[in-house]
Amino acid sequence: MNEIPVTMTVNGEDRAATIEPRLTLADYLRSECGLTGTHLACEHGACGACTVLVDGAAQRSCLVFAVQAQGAEITTVEGLAEAPGEPTAVQRAFEDCYGLQCGFCTPGFVVSVTAFLRDNPEPDDREIREALSGNLCRCTGYGGIYAAVRQAAAELAEAQGGAS
Amino acid sequence: MTAGRYVGQSVARREHRPLVTGHGRYVDDVTVAGMAHAAFVRSDVARGTITAIDVEDAQAVPGVFAVYLAADLNTVCGPIHSTLMGPNAPMPPMRALAEGDVRFVGEPVAVVVAESRAVAEDAAEMVVVEVAALPAVVDPVAALTDTENLVHPEKGTNVAQAMPDTGGPDVDAAFAGAAQVVTGRFAQSRGTNVPMEPRGLVASWEPGTGEFTAHVSSQNPHEYHAHFARVLGIDHHRVRVLTDQVGGGFGQKVFVSRDETCVAVAAKLLGRPVKWIEDRRENLIAANQARNEIVDLEVAVDDDGAMVAMKARHVEDVGAYAINSHASASGSMSNFITGPYRIGHLGFSSTSAYTNTVGRAAYRGPWLMETTAREQMVDRVARAIGMDPLEFRRRNTVTAAEFPFSMPGGVPIDRVSLTEVLDQAAEMMDYDGFRVRQAAALSEGRHLGLGISAYIEPSGIAFGALATEQANIRIDAAGKVRIMMGSGDHGQNTATTMRQLVAEYLGCDIDDVTYSQHDTTATPHGSGTAGSRTAVIFGGAAIGASKRLREKVAEIAAHLLEASPDDIEIVGSEAFVAGTPSRSVGFAEIAAAAYLAPDRLPPGVEPGLEAVHRYRPPSLFTLSNSCHMCTVEVDAATGMVTFDRYVVSEDCGPMINPTVVEGQIVGGVVQGIGTALYENMAYDPDGNPLASTFLDYVLPGAAEMPEIEIGHIESPSASEGGFKGVGEGGTIGAIACVANAVNDAIAPLGAHIDRLPMGPSEVLAAIDSAGGA
């Protein structure tokens, strides 16, 4: 099969590879970059577990071919925080509010919520529910996740208020 | 103990940090040198004879290592059965790959192993399987009397199991003397567990040593260990099973599937590691499913509105190959179908049907049809005699003064809070206030409804292979504590709850404790996380081992401090003389004596600091109980159901960690809502599964879900710590609760639904057939 050269930035690092055009961005990140935080649960764009930021926009990496990300800036769940293992406000909120049980869907939620709160720092309850509707969780019943978004929003708003 | 230093507290769940930052390790994250990848060729015909299989083109694909058929795999595969059910379980002849015929769409026919999953899938598409199709058996009721079309011809019948009617003259007499008899038929939709992480394993057989290692996504690693030893014909002690994070299971990953079996055998045949990670389509069509059941109920009521007798006829669909047995829920059904009510006489019968569909699995509360049917029936009876459903339940519920009350199925009801949860739920819901609101809404043409569901849950069932669990606790040479258990946690936070118990009863700082369940060669034998057994049985083991180890720590500390062991208190990994906190010695120093300076130990004390305890609860059933109430609004024009409120009053005894308990309840409720309103694994008459993506198999999402309010009642069980299991109850209670709410809402329209799911089209159809809104 023809292979195509592709370059992109992943979590701030420049990456270059020669890959099959059919390789999805999700598989590229997992197998070529070793970034296994991006999870595949449905591979047809319905569950959101594989959500990453592509040039800042939350996208399902199972629906993007890696070659389509040529030149893009990709951020995965591992790249959200300043340092590896250090949680962001959103990640801490998921911990605090019991926004996860098995944790398999969690990276997708964390990335989606991170982008959502950046674009809409003061969401109302209806907007939070709509924002969460693109990701599926089978363990939590969404209650803890919902609470996590509210906590993260409040914390980010406070940080913003303090900074200005 | 209700609230200790750690027990009863919502302590931080430290195992979450890697999961939120993307550093968890699930089975697909495991890479082994030289690893190949498997893909299955699956039947696209539900029933038929295999006339030819052509693998030539597939084998010629560059990068393909092998294409295995039944002739290659089944001939070397040892017996397939679960440890729990044993080799003599009633079940059809199990086979790894389809051989001679196919019996459901999705049945594995061939396994392709290649250098990558992509190449394996490419090659799998080139395998040509020719099948002479036969009429499929899909309807379980029709299957029972079909003698022409047999799912398993060698069985001579489609009846997988028949449990004869337990009724008799007493039941008949009770019905004959009844003021009124009410009947109902209730059907539940076929659903499936849908763990977000599909099944998968990395299997390695070392030709040099003859040892087999598998990384798996499992709720029950020691079962996988035993299974692989059996099917591979390898000595038990040469097998090793490893689990890291497990992304959900809900019963689907308790027993080893034939797909996983095939991959293990393929790895041995090939002599190199093989990875198989199921994709979602495979999970939806080929992993085991559940819930397709029908119950006919008759209830006899006396003049005072008391339910005096019940007759139940249960039919269940066990598919073509139920997991590891006929997988019938009939035993638990017959025990618990009368639930919390003072029903003195029961006639119960159950029949299981083989069909040409994927087999029945355990799925969160596998017997829950007893509650789904009974609680809908209770509403129907109340309506028939013109009584409010809450008042009707109050009159019929067994009170504490009657404990132990013997259910007609034989289980004694004791140590539960049946009336208390009814009262608490009604108060939380403002039951009377809702009825006023409901009437006002109806006068404006809006249809509100309230559902109630009450049940008794058999948690921590203590028979056979499920009866016991063990904790091994080690204080290492540096004074840190490690717990080892064979649990199979797949999201329940077992690491945190077991750390809480050990920190509490051993007396150490919780940050000094780690929990391991990952490696069957290092952990004691366990029967996995299933059947709401973790808190009760693993919890009892953790407490017992902690107490034993604490005694030894106290003895050594007393010697080092020149005090009596009776005067030693242990808190925060520090042992001190009671009343004299300055005379203390830490775990690090005690451990140093135990391992490195045995001359410092008291005479006769064995060096080292480890304790082992295997625990069996005192009761066969550790009963928890609950009452669910929810309110909904039904849009009579669109059929849409929206939640207003959802309330659960739950009694699981003392809670080890309230956040974890409530997380189990909320998650369980939402799975039950899914069964009630959304999820339907439908098959067409030819046996084709109609839901192979998440666009067809509709899971509950964040936008539709209610916020669930939880109240707790605490009556301790007889088990160590007084704990009761809570893992399945949320789901058990929710299905009927939601169904009752919808039916309450549409009752003024003369409409009723007794088949799940109650999606918009079903609601509209019910309203239409009742004469329209």
Side-chain angles (χ1 to χ4, degrees), chain B residues 443-504:
Chain B
S443 68
E444 297 166 4
R446 291 171 55 215
H447 298 276
L448 307 191
L450 184 146
I452 311 173
S453 171
Y455 68 87
I456 298 173
E457 177 183 359
S459 78
I461 297 170
F463 67 76
L466 297 173
T468 72
E469 285 300 342
Q470 182 168 318
N472 294 7
I473 305 181
R474 173 201 306 156
I475 300 175
D476 69 19
K480 301 295 183 184
V481 183
R482 182 174 291 274
I483 318 164
M484 281 166 287
M485 288 185 173
S487 73
D489 166 49
H490 50 292
Q492 291 86 348
N493 279 262
T494 311
T496 295
T497 50
M498 294 302 129
R499 286 170 59 239
Q500 286 178 258
L501 291 176
V502 171
E504 182 83 45

Side-chain angles (χ1 to χ4, degrees), chain B residues 571-729:
Chain B
V571 176
S573 305
E574 196 84 6
F576 57 91
V577 180
T580 318
S582 58
R583 289 181 63 204
S584 72
V585 58
F587 273 28
E589 190 178 344
I590 296 167
Y595 290 103
L596 312 173
D599 292 343
R600 298 185 67 202
L601 294 177
V605 167
E606 184 185 356
L609 274 178
E610 294 193 39
V612 168
H613 181 68
R614 182 161 280 271
Y615 179 69
R616 179 181 192 176
S619 307
L620 185 60
F621 297 104
T622 296
L623 303 179
S624 52
N625 69 286
S626 167
C627 177
H628 292 217
M629 281 191 201
C630 72
T631 50
V632 301
E633 177 161 1
V634 176
D635 185 329
T638 65
M640 289 296 289
V641 175
T642 50
F643 283 95
D644 175 38
R645 290 182 64 199
Y646 201 112
V647 165
V648 179
S649 172
E650 170 86 24
D651 183 354
C652 66
M655 292 182 281
I656 302 171
N657 184 321
T659 304
V660 172
V661 167
E662 295 185 356
Q664 287 297 309
I665 294 170
V666 172
V669 166
V670 171
Q671 288 199 348
I673 291 172
T675 301
L677 295 181
Y678 307 111
E679 299 178 39
N680 189 10
M681 183 51 74
Y683 279 79
D684 76 6
D686 295 324
N688 295 302
L690 299 179
S692 59
T693 72
F694 282 158
L695 305 183
D696 319 303
Y697 191 80
V698 182
L699 296 178
E704 303 85 36
M705 288 305 104
E707 290 212 48
I708 291 150
E709 304 156 57
I710 299 172
H712 295 286
I713 306 279
E714 184 180 312
S715 51
S717 72
S719 302
E720 183 80 80
F723 313 129
K724 303 170 175 186
V726 74
E728 294 160 289

Side-chain angles (χ1 to χ4, degrees), chain B residues 117-204:
Chain B
R117 171 79 188 208
V119 171
E121 285 184 17
D122 286 349
E125 282 184 13
M126 295 180 179
V127 174
V128 179
V129 182
E130 289 178 20
V131 176
L134 293 165
V137 177
V138 178
D139 177 353
V141 176
L144 291 172
T145 52
D146 191 337
T147 53
E148 194 176 333
N149 302 297
L150 296 176
V151 178
H152 299 291
E154 55 273 66
K155 286 274 189 186
T157 174
N158 287 325
V159 177
Q161 186 199 234
M163 182 173 172
D165 194 340
T166 61
D170 287 358
V171 180
D172 293 337
F175 269 87
Q180 197 169 340
V181 172
V182 184
T183 62
R185 165 174 282 207
F186 304 94
Q188 197 168 247
S189 55
R190 175 186 277 258
T192 180
N193 313 47
V194 191
M196 292 313 293
E197 180 199 31
R199 299 173 296 162
L201 75 164
V202 180
S204 313

Side-chain angles (χ1 to χ4, degrees), chain A residues 3 5 27 40 52 56 79 90 100 103 109-110 128-129 163:
Chain A
E3 297 202 332
D27 284 337
L40 288 162
V52 300
V90 170
L100 67 148
F109 270 100
V110 164
I128 293 175
R129 283 176 176 270

Side-chain angles (χ1 to χ4, degrees), chain A residues 30 41 95 102 129 138 142, chain B residues 17 26 29 280 700 705:
Chain A
R30 290 182 54 81
E95 283 182 11
C102 82
R129 283 176 176 270
R138 192 62 164 164
Y142 305 102
Chain B
R17 180 60 53 87
Y26 297 84
D29 305 338
R280 185 53 59 186
M705 288 305 104

